[in-house]
Amino acid sequence: MSSHLLLVACPDAPGLIHGITGIVYRHQGNIVSNSEFVDQETAQFFMRTEYKGPSDPVAVSREVKALLPKTAHVRCADMEPRRIVVLATKEHHCLGDLLLRHAHGEINANILAVISNHETLGDLVRQFGLPFHFVDHAHKNRPDHENAILGLLEPYRPEYLVLAKYMRILTPGFITRFPYRIINIHHSFLPAFIGASPYRQAFERGVKLVGATAHFVTDDLDTGPIIAQDVIPVRHTHGAKDMAQAGRDVEKVVLAKALGLVLEERVFLCGNRTIIFD
Amino acid sequence: MSSHLLLVACPDAPGLIHGITGIVYRHQGNIVSNSEFVDQETAQFFMRTEYKGPSDPVAVSREVKALLPKTAHVRCADMEPRRIVVLATKEHHCLGDLLLRHAHGEINANILAVISNHETLGDLVRQFGLPFHFVDHAHKNRPDHENAILGLLEPYRPEYLVLAKYMRILTPGFITRFPYRIINIHHSFLPAFIGASPYRQAFERGVKLVGATAHFVTDDLDTGPIIAQDVIPVRHTHGAKDMAQAGRDVEKVVLAKALGLVLEERVFLCGNRTIIFD
Amino acid sequence: MSSHLLLVACPDAPGLIHGITGIVYRHQGNIVSNSEFVDQETAQFFMRTEYKGPSDPVAVSREVKALLPKTAHVRCADMEPRRIVVLATKEHHCLGDLLLRHAHGEINANILAVISNHETLGDLVRQFGLPFHFVDHAHKNRPDHENAILGLLEPYRPEYLVLAKYMRILTPGFITRFPYRIINIHHSFLPAFIGASPYRQAFERGVKLVGATAHFVTDDLDTGPIIAQDVIPVRHTHGAKDMAQAGRDVEKVVLAKALGLVLEERVFLCGNRTIIFD
Amino acid sequence: MSSHLLLVACPDAPGLIHGITGIVYRHQGNIVSNSEFVDQETAQFFMRTEYKGPSDPVAVSREVKALLPKTAHVRCADMEPRRIVVLATKEHHCLGDLLLRHAHGEINANILAVISNHETLGDLVRQFGLPFHFVDHAHKNRPDHENAILGLLEPYRPEYLVLAKYMRILTPGFITRFPYRIINIHHSFLPAFIGASPYRQAFERGVKLVGATAHFVTDDLDTGPIIAQDVIPVRHTHGAKDMAQAGRDVEKVVLAKALGLVLEERVFLCGNRTIIFD
């Protein structure tokens, strides 16, 4: 008896749960966990159904689609490891943490390769036995650089891209090829700081908490739907360098958490917000 | 269109969600939020359904019961404020916080009265305009003391008792009258300390976190199902007195959180564990 | 043997600790706790010395001043309760928490009175037996309103003003009368939201943490030196109203923490940052 | 101008700070950070002085010792990376995190080697280019096994041993060779669970927080002085396996934090408690 996931998002209407679970039932699926939420702002219905059974997910999915309006999003997913490519620049902390977790079976994904615009992290990636692709951005305009990356990505057919401190801004043209399938991590502070040297700004402001936000990448830079956030305390004894270390520590934790939620298909989009069935 | 809650706990079986939501649907209920969980250890099914509609909750409840085995727990609750009596002893922090929240509509309950085995907190209660009953335990054996309390409780017909630092051990005879309807708060530490002067012990052990646990009271003292827990950091500069203050600060937060979850009917029992649909 | 606090801030120079503690020593003071920090950015020296002894704090302070450059800040404080006036508007949570703590000896301060631009909280204050002054802002320009408040404040000679959700912007003219002696609490989010309806904005952005920042009030609205910050997690199930409740819960905790640090003279100013010897 | 650390622990007496900082001053040391604490229970004095200057630390240390009673602990340390050997068993998470931090300069230590009673982690260690020693415990009694480890340790002359989930109990004979120089990490829960399968026990008890404690190893197993603690929240949806993952996540964070504090000489012992100048 294998496990299946049925994921539904559509406008709310009476009887949806009854109707959808009826299809699962008729396919002899036994529901292990069912989470449902109706957003009161948009009257959108979201449901994540984890069930066990002999059923054919394609057939289940087709019947559910037939039941719902055309605008509904319906997906019947297995729980196989997802195909992932990681993009990074020079910082090791998020990438290293993902590589360790991947090597020891802590994330439900296959990291297929790491692509970087610097050579700095090549040794780290190769020591874990994974392909490392260096795509220099020097002497290339942005579209050319992104095209070179897209060319490398193509054979891997990644389901998700993880930006593990990839410090180049992606163009809308690139992003639209992976709609809500690019996950980014960046620092965040209370209050927020915009522009260069955020840790410097945070230090000068004397913040007592350093935070990190993991989110989907959309055209609006750093403002896509938030998946996970956390903070760690800092003190006046922390210089700007210590605050950067604190930032690294919280960033790797938040990225790993967000990625886990995405890989288990626990994250739904609701406008610019996320519904998270954890 | 009023709001209703349907709460179900029973042995798992295929088709339960489909069947139960079908009843809600036929009663023209529109489901706002549905949480379901099957405990893999015990194969128990838990569901909390929040729906809006003209339906008669008694009829819905009756039909759901008819659908399920006799051992099923089925309850169709409204979302009216619950009837509560608070028991306290001498410490003000949890009681005061509850009184403030109650006075300003932050908890979905009517605090009907406060009962204490000391007179210390009488003024605090009366200044909030609530009845305060002093039941001295001096010169009374435990059953007599509890009987005096039970006599006072009777006219209030409380749905829940909240032990806001009530420092007397309740007998099984008392507890069985309010099965899983008594909520207690107590300190907790990493590692745990048993016996007298826990803050003193924690101080001597040099703990870096002070915690609190809110739980249902069962015959097993301080080991009933946990509803909420939290911790706050302490430092070597905190003496035993400061640690007690830290304990008060975290206790009142955890008790308020646990009570909120219970009052919104978000807490289900699963053996000695809780399922919390928050 | 009474307890004393010696507080020093001045440009760093070799031998400062040796020189200052020598004065304490010659006055037969026995140091219980000494915290010192040199800010590497500004080369400013900060020291908080808690000592016990028969010594005359005025004499100690005079000798320390004589040792240091004219720009040095030197203060020899006792540990008596500070004189405080609280300003509030309509929200009860921070004020209520302070009143409860005050009534039960949890803060080292005398709350002398509460002033508000609304009558809403009058009953809450009076039930704790404290004076409540209503200063209507209707039909008054800002300076007139502030002058009315200043007139009320005068006889109380407060050492600190606590803005417990006082929702009027204070003018520089008012603020300069209480330099770094006004403590404010406000919400804060990751990322930050500016302008009206911050909880609404935070809800729409789908934040996973709701935060609060307590800070000294300076001319730069909401950007004075930060004293304390904290966050609490929220979920997609939290509507805008629930997020406001979460905000209240974290605000009262952070304000109480910040006030405790200030009242124990643990907070030093270093430009727009704080040095906190906790 | 190099940096130095002066660390003093001795019975409290008047004039200690004055006297000790006078020695630093006469050696032309400029104090950057000075933390001092007198434990009121034991009347023990603790001081950590970070200073810059041309001074000869041996001479400073000798003069400070001459000033203090014979029982005083005085140490003048440089801030060079400490010599470390890590012991592990089969679990990768703490070891992997330390190896990553070490490889990227995040901890002030040289990890000289890793010793394990299993071969499981050999590849992980070797991929970071470090020596891995497998010391099988099969067919060896405990003293023989420990002697084999001691033989391997000898040429490394480690200043600290880090038990990164080393799952063998060390004998008092082994521990006394590294007094307060062995750092261990273990799970901890609210409430605590003793004996086998703690995550199983915690799951059955329905805890809402999973914690970790890093401590010095003493003869009393798992009860040596605590250096750092933290917790992460768990939910009813976390099975025993998910709770073990949560445990791994918090353990690696707490061990790294504790190790950082020890390596920066911020941890003092006070009976079975720690004084931490962070």
Side-chain angles (χ1 to χ4, degrees):
Chain A
M1 300 265 280
S2 51
S3 288
H4 306 278
L5 277 178
L6 176 64
L7 309 162
V8 177
C10 66
D12 190 31
L16 286 179
I17 303 177
H18 176 62
I20 298 168
T21 56
I23 294 168
V24 173
Y25 178 56
R26 284 190 296 275
H27 281 266
Q28 298 166 52
N30 195 14
I31 295 174
V32 173
S33 170
N34 197 70
S35 300
E36 183 264 358
F37 183 72
V38 175
D39 179 50
Q40 298 301 304
E41 304 280 318
T42 58
Q44 283 287 305
F45 168 94
F46 302 91
M47 193 164 93
R48 178 188 187 273
T49 305
E50 198 175 323
Y51 66 94
K52 288 186 180 172
S55 66
D56 172 11
V58 176
V60 169
S61 186
R62 194 188 316 121
E63 288 184 39
V64 172
K65 267 178 193 157
L67 183 81
L68 302 175
K70 288 241 167 78
T71 57
H73 294 270
V74 177
R75 197 149 60 91
C76 206
D78 55 37
M79 299 184 77
E80 293 302 298
R82 301 289 174 249
R83 303 173 61 84
I84 281 184
V85 173
V86 180
L87 275 69
T89 293
K90 286 180 173 179
E91 290 173 89
H92 70 282
H93 57 291
C94 286
L95 175 62
D97 188 61
L98 293 183
L99 292 173
L100 265 181
R101 288 175 184 271
H102 179 250
H104 293 87
E106 287 190 3
I107 53 176
N108 189 35
N110 290 324
I111 298 181
L112 306 167
V114 177
I115 298 175
S116 179
N117 57 327
H118 284 273
E119 292 192 274
T120 316
L121 298 168
D123 286 348
L124 175 63
V125 175
R126 284 183 291 264
Q127 84 180 44
F128 280 92
L130 291 175
F132 176 82
H133 302 287
F134 166 49
V135 186
D136 198 350
H137 62 261
H139 315 299
K140 283 199 193 75
N141 61 26
R142 198 171 296 271
D144 285 353
H145 186 242
E146 288 188 349
N147 282 333
I149 292 173
L150 286 170
L152 280 167
L153 284 174
E154 199 168 26
Y156 292 118
R157 292 174 294 110
E159 291 167 278
Y160 293 102
L161 299 186
V162 179
L163 308 188
K165 304 298 289 177
Y166 179 69
M167 303 308 278
R168 302 273 296 173
I169 293 169
L170 295 170
T171 65
F174 187 99
I175 292 165
T176 47
R177 290 176 178 244
F178 302 93
Y180 299 105
R181 288 165 48 204
I182 310 178
I183 298 156
N184 189 32
I185 181 75
H186 73 93
H187 61 77
S188 52
F189 297 96
L190 297 168
F193 304 105
I194 294 157
S197 302
Y199 284 101
R200 181 74 219 167
Q201 288 185 64
F203 170 76
E204 287 177 1
R205 184 71 175 80
V207 301
K208 305 303 183 193
L209 294 174
V210 164
T213 297
H215 63 99
F216 288 115
V217 176
T218 57
D219 285 9
D220 268 337
L221 178 68
D222 287 347
T223 63
I226 295 169
I227 308 166
Q229 296 186 299
D230 205 355
V231 294
I232 52 176
V234 289
R235 295 165 58 79
H236 67 270
T237 51
H238 288 72
K241 194 184 144 197
D242 302 308
M243 289 182 65
Q245 175 68 54
R248 285 196 294 273
D249 287 351
V250 70
E251 281 175 350
K252 75 182 184 187
V253 166
V254 172
L255 180 58
K257 185 181 171 191
L259 189 56
L261 292 168
V262 169
L263 294 173
E264 293 186 358
E265 305 282 359
R266 297 184 178 281
V267 184
F268 286 69
L269 287 160
C270 177
N272 202 42
R273 286 180 294 137
T274 54
I275 308 299
I276 296 189
F277 295 127
D278 62 344
Chain B
M1 299 266 278
S2 52
S3 288
H4 306 277
L5 277 178
L6 176 63
L7 310 162
V8 177
C10 65
D12 191 31
L16 286 180
I17 303 176
H18 177 61
I20 298 167
T21 56
I23 293 167
V24 173
Y25 179 56
R26 283 190 296 276
H27 282 266
Q28 299 167 54
N30 194 16
I31 294 174
V32 173
S33 171
N34 197 69
S35 301
E36 183 265 357
F37 182 73
V38 175
D39 179 50
Q40 298 301 303
E41 304 280 318
T42 57
Q44 283 287 304
F45 168 94
F46 302 92
M47 193 163 93
R48 178 188 187 273
T49 305
E50 197 175 326
Y51 67 94
K52 287 186 180 172
S55 65
D56 172 10
V58 177
V60 168
S61 187
R62 194 188 317 121
E63 287 184 39
V64 172
K65 269 178 192 158
L67 183 80
L68 301 176
K70 289 241 167 79
T71 58
H73 294 270
V74 177
R75 198 149 60 93
C76 207
D78 56 38
M79 300 183 77
E80 294 302 298
R82 300 288 174 251
R83 303 173 61 84
I84 281 184
V85 172
V86 180
L87 274 69
T89 293
K90 286 180 175 178
E91 292 173 87
H92 70 284
H93 57 291
C94 286
L95 175 62
D97 188 61
L98 292 182
L99 292 173
L100 265 180
R101 290 176 183 270
H102 179 250
H104 293 87
E106 286 190 4
I107 52 175
N108 189 36
N110 290 325
I111 298 181
L112 306 168
V114 176
I115 298 174
S116 179
N117 56 326
H118 283 272
E119 293 192 273
T120 317
L121 298 167
D123 285 347
L124 175 62
V125 174
R126 284 183 291 264
Q127 85 179 44
F128 280 92
L130 291 175
F132 176 82
H133 303 286
F134 166 50
V135 186
D136 199 350
H137 61 262
H139 315 300
K140 285 199 191 75
N141 62 26
R142 199 172 295 274
D144 284 352
H145 187 243
E146 288 187 351
N147 282 333
I149 293 174
L150 286 170
L152 281 168
L153 285 174
E154 199 168 25
Y156 293 119
R157 291 174 294 112
E159 292 167 278
Y160 292 101
L161 298 186
V162 179
L163 308 188
K165 305 298 289 177
Y166 180 68
M167 303 307 277
R168 301 274 295 173
I169 293 169
L170 295 170
T171 65
F174 187 100
I175 293 166
T176 47
R177 290 175 178 243
F178 301 94
Y180 299 106
R181 288 164 50 203
I182 310 178
I183 298 156
N184 188 33
I185 181 75
H186 72 94
H187 62 78
S188 51
F189 296 96
L190 297 168
F193 304 104
I194 294 157
S197 302
Y199 284 101
R200 182 73 219 169
Q201 288 185 64
F203 170 75
E204 286 176 2
R205 183 72 175 80
V207 301
K208 305 303 183 194
L209 294 174
V210 164
T213 296
H215 63 99
F216 287 115
V217 176
T218 57
D219 285 8
D220 269 338
L221 178 70
D222 285 349
T223 62
I226 295 169
I227 308 167
Q229 296 186 298
D230 205 356
V231 293
I232 53 175
V234 289
R235 296 165 57 78
H236 67 270
T237 51
H238 289 70
K241 194 184 143 197
D242 302 307
M243 289 181 66
Q245 175 67 54
R248 284 195 294 273
D249 287 349
V250 71
E251 281 175 350
K252 76 182 183 186
V253 167
V254 172
L255 180 57
K257 185 181 171 190
L259 189 56
L261 292 168
V262 169
L263 294 173
E264 294 186 357
E265 307 282 357
R266 298 184 178 280
V267 184
F268 286 70
L269 287 161
C270 178
N272 202 42
R273 286 180 294 138
T274 55
I275 309 299
I276 296 188
F277 295 128
D278 61 346
Chain C
M1 300 265 278
S2 52
S3 288
H4 305 277
L5 277 178
L6 176 64
L7 309 162
V8 177
C10 66
D12 191 30
L16 285 180
I17 303 176
H18 176 62
I20 297 167
T21 55
I23 293 167
V24 173
Y25 178 54
R26 282 190 295 276
H27 281 266
Q28 299 167 53
N30 194 16
I31 295 174
V32 172
S33 170
N34 198 69
S35 300
E36 184 264 358
F37 183 72
V38 176
D39 179 50
Q40 299 300 305
E41 304 280 318
T42 59
Q44 283 287 304
F45 168 94
F46 301 92
M47 193 162 93
R48 179 187 187 275
T49 305
E50 197 174 325
Y51 67 94
K52 286 186 179 171
S55 66
D56 172 11
V58 177
V60 168
S61 186
R62 193 189 317 121
E63 288 183 40
V64 172
K65 268 178 192 156
L67 183 82
L68 301 176
K70 290 242 167 76
T71 57
H73 294 270
V74 177
R75 198 149 59 93
C76 206
D78 56 36
M79 299 183 76
E80 294 301 299
R82 301 288 174 250
R83 303 173 62 83
I84 281 184
V85 172
V86 180
L87 275 69
T89 294
K90 286 181 176 178
E91 291 173 88
H92 70 284
H93 56 292
C94 287
L95 176 62
D97 189 61
L98 292 182
L99 292 173
L100 264 181
R101 289 175 183 271
H102 179 251
H104 293 88
E106 286 190 2
I107 53 175
N108 189 35
N110 290 325
I111 299 182
L112 307 167
V114 176
I115 298 174
S116 179
N117 57 326
H118 284 273
E119 292 193 274
T120 317
L121 299 168
D123 286 346
L124 176 62
V125 174
R126 283 183 291 264
Q127 83 180 46
F128 281 93
L130 291 174
F132 177 82
H133 303 287
F134 166 48
V135 186
D136 198 350
H137 62 261
H139 315 300
K140 284 199 192 76
N141 62 25
R142 198 171 297 272
D144 284 352
H145 185 243
E146 289 188 351
N147 282 332
I149 292 174
L150 287 169
L152 280 168
L153 284 174
E154 199 168 26
Y156 292 118
R157 292 173 295 110
E159 293 168 277
Y160 293 101
L161 299 186
V162 179
L163 308 187
K165 305 298 289 177
Y166 180 68
M167 304 308 276
R168 301 274 296 172
I169 293 170
L170 296 170
T171 65
F174 186 99
I175 293 165
T176 48
R177 290 176 178 243
F178 302 92
Y180 299 107
R181 288 165 48 204
I182 310 177
I183 298 157
N184 189 32
I185 181 75
H186 72 93
H187 62 77
S188 51
F189 297 96
L190 296 169
F193 303 104
I194 295 157
S197 303
Y199 284 101
R200 181 75 218 168
Q201 288 185 64
F203 169 76
E204 285 177 1
R205 183 72 175 79
V207 301
K208 305 302 183 194
L209 295 174
V210 164
T213 296
H215 63 98
F216 288 115
V217 176
T218 57
D219 285 8
D220 268 339
L221 179 68
D222 285 347
T223 63
I226 295 169
I227 308 166
Q229 296 186 299
D230 205 355
V231 294
I232 52 175
V234 289
R235 296 165 56 79
H236 67 270
T237 50
H238 288 71
K241 194 184 144 197
D242 302 307
M243 289 182 65
Q245 175 67 55
R248 284 196 295 273
D249 288 349
V250 72
E251 281 176 349
K252 74 182 184 187
V253 167
V254 171
L255 179 58
K257 185 181 172 190
L259 189 57
L261 292 168
V262 168
L263 294 173
E264 294 185 356
E265 305 282 359
R266 298 184 177 281
V267 184
F268 286 69
L269 287 160
C270 177
N272 203 42
R273 286 179 294 138
T274 55
I275 309 299
I276 295 189
F277 294 128
D278 62 345
Chain D
M1 299 266 280
S2 52
S3 288
H4 305 277
L5 277 178
L6 176 63
L7 309 163
V8 177
C10 65
D12 191 30
L16 286 180
I17 304 176
H18 177 61
I20 297 167
T21 55
I23 294 168
V24 173
Y25 178 55
R26 283 190 295 277
H27 281 267
Q28 298 166 53
N30 195 16
I31 294 174
V32 173
S33 171
N34 197 71
S35 300
E36 183 265 357
F37 183 72
V38 176
D39 179 48
Q40 299 301 305
E41 304 280 319
T42 58
Q44 283 287 304
F45 168 94
F46 302 92
M47 192 163 94
R48 179 187 187 273
T49 306
E50 197 175 324
Y51 67 94
K52 287 187 180 172
S55 66
D56 173 9
V58 176
V60 168
S61 185
R62 194 189 316 122
E63 288 184 38
V64 173
K65 268 178 193 156
L67 183 80
L68 301 176
K70 289 241 167 77
T71 56
H73 294 270
V74 177
R75 198 150 60 92
C76 205
D78 56 37
M79 299 185 77
E80 294 301 298
R82 301 288 174 252
R83 303 174 62 84
I84 281 184
V85 172
V86 180
L87 274 71
T89 294
K90 286 180 174 177
E91 291 173 89
H92 70 284
H93 57 291
C94 286
L95 176 62
D97 188 61
L98 292 182
L99 292 173
L100 265 181
R101 289 176 184 270
H102 179 251
H104 294 88
E106 286 190 2
I107 52 174
N108 190 35
N110 290 325
I111 297 180
L112 306 168
V114 176
I115 298 175
S116 180
N117 57 327
H118 283 272
E119 293 191 275
T120 317
L121 298 167
D123 285 347
L124 175 63
V125 175
R126 283 183 292 264
Q127 86 180 44
F128 280 92
L130 290 174
F132 177 82
H133 303 285
F134 166 48
V135 186
D136 198 350
H137 61 262
H139 315 300
K140 284 197 193 75
N141 62 25
R142 200 172 295 272
D144 284 353
H145 186 242
E146 288 189 350
N147 282 333
I149 292 174
L150 286 169
L152 280 167
L153 285 174
E154 199 168 27
Y156 292 118
R157 292 173 295 109
E159 292 168 277
Y160 292 102
L161 299 187
V162 179
L163 307 188
K165 303 300 288 177
Y166 180 68
M167 303 307 277
R168 301 273 295 173
I169 293 169
L170 295 170
T171 65
F174 186 99
I175 293 166
T176 48
R177 289 177 179 244
F178 302 93
Y180 299 106
R181 288 164 50 203
I182 309 177
I183 297 156
N184 189 33
I185 180 76
H186 72 94
H187 61 78
S188 50
F189 297 96
L190 296 168
F193 304 105
I194 294 157
S197 303
Y199 284 101
R200 181 74 219 168
Q201 287 186 64
F203 170 75
E204 286 176 1
R205 183 72 175 79
V207 300
K208 305 303 182 193
L209 295 174
V210 164
T213 296
H215 63 98
F216 288 115
V217 176
T218 57
D219 285 9
D220 268 338
L221 179 69
D222 286 349
T223 63
I226 295 169
I227 308 167
Q229 296 186 300
D230 206 355
V231 294
I232 53 176
V234 289
R235 295 164 58 78
H236 68 270
T237 51
H238 289 72
K241 194 183 144 198
D242 301 307
M243 289 182 65
Q245 175 67 55
R248 285 196 295 273
D249 288 350
V250 71
E251 281 176 349
K252 75 183 184 187
V253 167
V254 171
L255 180 58
K257 185 180 172 192
L259 189 56
L261 291 168
V262 169
L263 294 173
E264 294 185 358
E265 306 282 358
R266 297 184 178 281
V267 184
F268 287 68
L269 287 160
C270 177
N272 202 42
R273 287 179 294 138
T274 55
I275 309 299
I276 296 189
F277 294 128
D278 61 345

